[in-house]
């Protein structure tokens, strides 16, 4: 479905969707647990979004429509392939029927992405991606805002109000610059050392969504 950050956020906003988590799946059997680097530099894993949903509020067909609408696949890349992972024979049958009907209707997206691009595979072990990938844009928007405010502070934008303030003997604009650099270094380090990938079993995400709801 392409990079999983944006589709996960978009799907979570749809009626009936209780939770989403991004991860890696679709590799051959007995493959060791992936990391983001092994996904990026390999050709086995697919970036995917696991969805927990209330089937009284949204049907499987509607969920697949949302999937098709929000995915951003890239041809020639297994990592960014357009794949529906069916949990059982019934879901596989429904997914194939959905694809056939949508393709026959000659419907396309605004960018003319055809339904024929969608592949349907049996589900395989799903590994929840590193924590920094989860709700990525939600976290990044806040970080960008804080970064913008710190850069403004370093440039002296607040000197009229805080020009005389010192922290540990440093001027306010120097503190802003130092905090910005520490934050940027942390973001780079977070990606470099994160190895908190873990396998999610069927039903785990739904259980977590219901626990949060209660």
């Amino acid at each position: 479905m392409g990079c999983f950050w944006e589709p996960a956020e978009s799907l979570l906003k749809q009626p009936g969707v209780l939770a989403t988590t991004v991860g890696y799946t679709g590799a051959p059997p007995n493959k060791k647990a992936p990391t983001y680097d092994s996904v990026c530099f390999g050709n086995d894993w697919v970036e995917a979004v696991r969805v927990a949903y209330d089937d009284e509020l949204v049907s499987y067909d509607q969920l697949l429509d949302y999937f098709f609408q929000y995915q951003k696949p890239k041809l020639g890349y297994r990592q960014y392939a357009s794949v529906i992972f069916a949990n059982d024979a019934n879901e596989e049958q429904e997914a194939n029927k959905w694809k056939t009907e949508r393709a026959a209707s000659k419907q396309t997206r605004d960018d003319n992405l055809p339904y024929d691009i969608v592949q349907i595979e049996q589900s395989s072990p799903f590994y929840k991606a590193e924590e920094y990938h989860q709700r990525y844009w939600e976290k990044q928007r806040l970080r960008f805002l804080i970064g913008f405010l710190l850069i403004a502070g370093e440039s002296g934008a607040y000197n009229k109000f805080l020009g005389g303030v010192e922290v540990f003997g440093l001027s306010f604009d120097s503190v802003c610059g130092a905090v910005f650099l520490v934050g940027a270094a942390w973001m780079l380090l977070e990606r470099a050392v994160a190895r908190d990938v873990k396998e999610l079993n069927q039903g785990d995400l739904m259980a977590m969504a219901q626990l949060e709801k209660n």
Side-chain angles (χ1 to χ4, degrees):
M1 69 182 335
C3 179
F4 48 25
W5 294 333
E6 188 175 341
E9 183 177 45
S10 298
L11 287 168
L12 188 58
K13 296 176 181 177
Q14 304 313 307
V17 175
L18 305 177
T20 62
T21 191
V22 299
Y24 317 118
T25 190
N30 302 318
K31 273 284 181 180
K32 68 177 184 179
T35 64
Y36 189 54
D37 289 339
S38 68
V39 174
C40 291
F41 298 108
N43 196 38
D44 294 317
W45 298 93
V46 179
E47 289 193 16
V49 179
R50 175 161 284 185
V51 179
Y53 67 100
D54 185 339
D55 57 9
E56 294 184 357
L57 298 176
V58 59
S59 68
Y60 187 57
D61 275 10
Q62 289 174 312
L63 198 64
L64 296 182
D65 285 337
Y66 294 149
F67 151 79
F68 188 77
Q69 179 180 351
Y70 296 117
Q71 67 169 338
K72 295 183 176 181
K74 293 183 180 179
L75 292 174
Y77 295 89
R78 175 67 174 167
Q79 177 185 357
Y80 298 132
S82 173
V83 187
I84 297 170
F85 292 97
N87 290 323
D88 53 38
N90 184 54
E91 278 194 0
E92 185 174 12
Q93 184 178 4
E94 287 188 52
N96 277 301
K97 180 182 177 184
W98 168 86
K99 178 181 175 180
T100 299
E101 290 177 351
R102 296 297 188 273
S105 72
K106 304 299 181 182
Q107 297 179 29
T108 60
R109 304 193 315 185
D110 291 340
D111 59 1
N112 294 319
L113 185 74
Y115 283 90
D116 291 338
I117 197 175
V118 178
Q119 305 169 51
I120 299 169
E121 300 180 11
Q122 281 289 331
S123 63
S124 54
F126 178 95
Y127 290 86
K128 182 180 177 182
E130 297 87 346
E131 189 58 35
Y132 69 86
H133 286 300
Q134 306 302 326
R135 299 198 172 188
Y136 182 82
W137 285 118
E138 182 180 320
K139 291 183 285 191
Q140 292 307 313
R141 288 188 191 97
L142 178 59
R143 288 175 173 176
F144 290 151
L145 174 60
I146 293 172
F148 174 80
L149 294 175
L150 289 171
I151 291 172
E154 185 184 23
S155 68
Y158 312 132
N159 284 353
K160 182 178 179 180
F161 311 101
L162 301 169
V165 174
E166 290 190 356
V167 180
F168 300 116
L170 297 174
S171 64
F172 184 75
D173 53 346
S174 296
V175 171
C176 287
V179 172
F180 177 83
L181 290 175
V182 169
W186 169 251
M187 289 177 63
L188 294 173
L189 182 64
E190 181 183 38
R191 174 165 178 172
V193 304
R195 293 293 183 271
D196 52 336
V197 174
K198 64 179 181 180
E199 185 174 357
L200 283 189
N201 296 316
Q202 292 293 338
D204 284 353
L205 185 60
M206 178 63 80
M208 289 187 284
Q210 291 174 338
L211 186 62
E212 289 183 8
K213 184 177 180 181
N214 296 331

